[in-house]
Amino acid sequence: MDLQVISRDGEPEYAVLPWAQYQALLRAAGISRGPESGAAIHTEAEHEPSSPAADFPSLSQLGALREAKGLEVAQLARAVGISPSYLDLIESGDREPDAAIRRSLAWELGVAGWRGEA
């Protein structure tokens, strides 16, 4: 597991791990949706199993994921092969990227991916 521990005053305060591993931990704990979605946390026994697309971050989180990786818009856009202005449009929700761009964004950000999710 790729884990980063952030300490304050010599004491561990936060544990940071890749999104996919976080999602796997939630699933292993029987939690289908985490607090990052703005929804209440539910156990699997409380509702129908979620679709596979629910395991992936929403495109509305793209900007936050990029910033968490310490990437500027231009850096990520260049790595993915699109213009910074197009990436801005995707992040703002004004444009919907095709599957190839979704896969490239997922690869560059180290997330499982966006398979046809709106």
Side-chain angles (χ1 to χ4, degrees):
M1 180 176 287
D2 301 316
L3 181 69
Q4 176 186 6
V5 176
I6 300 172
S7 299
R8 183 182 295 189
D9 299 327
E11 295 294 320
E13 187 165 338
Y14 296 99
V16 182
L17 64 155
W19 182 259
Q21 291 177 6
Y22 169 70
Q23 292 296 316
L25 286 173
L26 287 178
R27 284 190 302 276
I31 300 171
S32 63
R33 293 175 67 179
E36 73 289 339
S37 67
I41 296 176
H42 302 285
T43 62
E44 290 298 327
E46 293 175 326
H47 63 82
E48 302 276 321
S50 59
S51 68
D55 294 336
F56 304 119
S58 165
L59 278 174
S60 66
Q61 297 173 300
L62 179 58
L65 290 168
R66 176 184 52 76
E67 290 173 2
K69 285 282 191 178
L71 296 171
E72 296 293 327
V73 170
Q75 289 175 299
L76 180 57
R78 187 173 36 254
V80 172
I82 60 177
S83 70
S85 60
Y86 186 58
L87 182 55
D88 276 332
L89 291 171
I90 294 170
E91 285 188 4
S92 68
D94 292 332
R95 291 289 187 274
E96 185 71 27
D98 64 20
I101 292 173
R102 286 175 185 266
R103 283 190 300 273
S104 293
L105 287 167
W107 175 262
E108 293 299 327
L109 294 171
V111 296
W114 289 288
R115 297 184 204 169
E117 179 186 317

